[in-house]
Amino acid sequence: MTFPALTRLTGRLPRTTTPLVRRLAIASLVSQIAIVVTGGAVRLTASGLGCPEWPRCTPESIVTTPEMGFHGVIEFGNRLLTFVLVIIAVAMIVAVLGMRRERKDLFRLSVGLFLGIPAQAVIGGITVWTGLNPWIVGLHFIVSMVLVALATVLVNRARLTTEQYAIRRPAAAPALLRQLLVTSTVLTSVAVVLGVIVTGSGPHAGDHGAARNGLDSDLMTRLHAVPVYLLVATVALAVVVAYRTDVHAKLRKALVLLTAVVLVQGAIGYTQHFLHLPVVLVALHMLGASLLMAAAVHAHYTGTTRRTLPGTVAATRVRQPVA
């Protein structure tokens, strides 16, 4: 029986449980964050040209060779992780293929994450061909942040059944709080972009001979701090509004999580600056950027979506699909 026919006979949408989809959605998010961390390891160990060619590692070999040593292993290992992302992305598409009509959101998000992988591979190849141009390296990171954001939405959407997805409900956040959530997401994005520019002016180029963007690192760091200050203030105000109004507990938890990530990431950022960018702290800051993007998007989604919140009981009134 077709989906519209079942809806007309029963008066409700078929309930779809997707434990595999939920697991694959989480795996998508974790793997997108993991490749940011391994990419950071490539740059921080000066292994960016460990494989000096692309798509081959050397003109004669697809894989790293013993002569390339430690740097070749690090760079090639990061390339291999791309195949893990491909496997997860393909599995996700296959898992939601059968429900693509009633769950277009899952299918589109899954396809978007899949298409991001070859896009990143091409950008990575251009990065190698240009000798680690800092602007191309920065674009590589920004696209990763976009994929982390998409994967975060996918995790939230994957937790809904088809019935819950079809329900429209008022947003969990009142108007003022929604505006603060939008602002926090925008400020997070601006902070990430400026952080990329700071990185391009700093000492960790990915290779000892790689060029820098030529900007004043201290000035760019100060500019980078401006949206961070504003983000801290915005998130603090959002938490106050959330606890002074009757908002859903899940939104409060999302805001508390965002607050914790913002504070930890800010502390790491200031510490690494005053300690002159030790490798370990820079790596943690890159991980923190990924977690910050995920936390900001999660809070934004939780407060502004008009779908049922994951883990809550759906209302009984369902929007009937067009036959």
Side-chain angles (χ1 to χ4, degrees), residues 4 9 16 86 90 98 140 162 195 203 212 222-223 234 268 274 287 311 323:
L9 287 175
T16 305
V86 170
V90 170
H140 206 30
T162 302
R212 303 282 72 204
R222 292 176 185 276
L223 290 176
T234 300
I268 293 173
F274 289 113
L287 171 61

Side-chain angles (χ1 to χ4, degrees), residues 51-58 75 79 118 121-126 128-129:
C51 285
E53 299 291 334
W54 189 90
R56 288 174 172 267
C57 195
T58 71
E75 164 64 6
R79 293 188 182 189
V122 171
I123 296 172
I126 296 172
V128 173
W129 294 336

Side-chain angles (χ1 to χ4, degrees), residues 3-127:
F3 172 73
L6 180 59
T7 302
R8 287 194 298 270
L9 287 175
T10 63
R12 62 191 297 273
L13 296 172
R15 186 174 182 84
T16 305
T17 56
T18 55
L20 176 61
V21 169
R22 290 194 292 271
R23 295 190 188 101
L24 287 172
I26 294 172
S28 298
L29 177 57
V30 171
S31 61
Q32 291 293 343
I33 294 175
I35 201 165
V36 170
V37 175
T38 59
V42 170
R43 181 167 61 83
L44 294 171
T45 58
S47 302
L49 295 177
C51 285
E53 299 291 334
W54 189 90
R56 288 174 172 267
C57 195
T58 71
E60 297 79 24
S61 175
I62 296 177
V63 302
T64 184
T65 62
E67 293 77 15
M68 301 172 71
F70 171 76
H71 296 304
V73 172
I74 295 294
E75 164 64 6
F76 187 69
N78 184 59
R79 293 188 182 189
L80 284 180
L81 186 56
T82 301
F83 293 99
V84 176
L85 267 67
V86 170
I87 292 171
I88 294 172
V90 170
M92 187 72 199
I93 292 175
V94 172
V96 302
L97 195 61
M99 62 177 77
R100 65 186 182 279
R101 291 185 179 180
E102 62 267 29
R103 292 304 305 272
K104 292 180 181 179
D105 61 324
L106 295 181
F107 183 70
R108 289 170 179 170
L109 286 166
S110 301
V111 171
L113 285 170
F114 173 77
L115 293 178
I117 298 171
Q120 281 288 69
V122 171
I123 296 172
I126 296 172
T127 300

Side-chain angles (χ1 to χ4, degrees), residues 112-200:
L113 285 170
F114 173 77
L115 293 178
I117 298 171
Q120 281 288 69
V122 171
I123 296 172
I126 296 172
T127 300
V128 173
W129 294 336
T130 59
L132 305 183
N133 181 294
W135 298 105
I136 306 298
V137 173
L139 176 62
H140 206 30
F141 185 82
I142 289 171
V143 174
S144 287
M145 293 298 98
V146 173
L147 295 177
V148 167
L150 290 178
T152 302
V153 176
L154 180 62
V155 170
N156 279 280
R157 287 292 180 89
R159 295 176 63 192
L160 301 179
T161 66
T162 302
E163 182 181 42
Q164 291 171 327
Y165 168 74
I167 294 171
R168 297 294 190 273
R169 48 175 288 281
L176 174 59
L177 187 50
R178 290 199 300 272
Q179 292 170 359
L180 291 171
L181 290 170
V182 171
T183 301
S184 67
T185 304
V186 171
L187 288 172
T188 296
S189 302
V190 172
V192 166
V193 171
L194 290 177
V196 166
I197 296 175
V198 172
T199 299

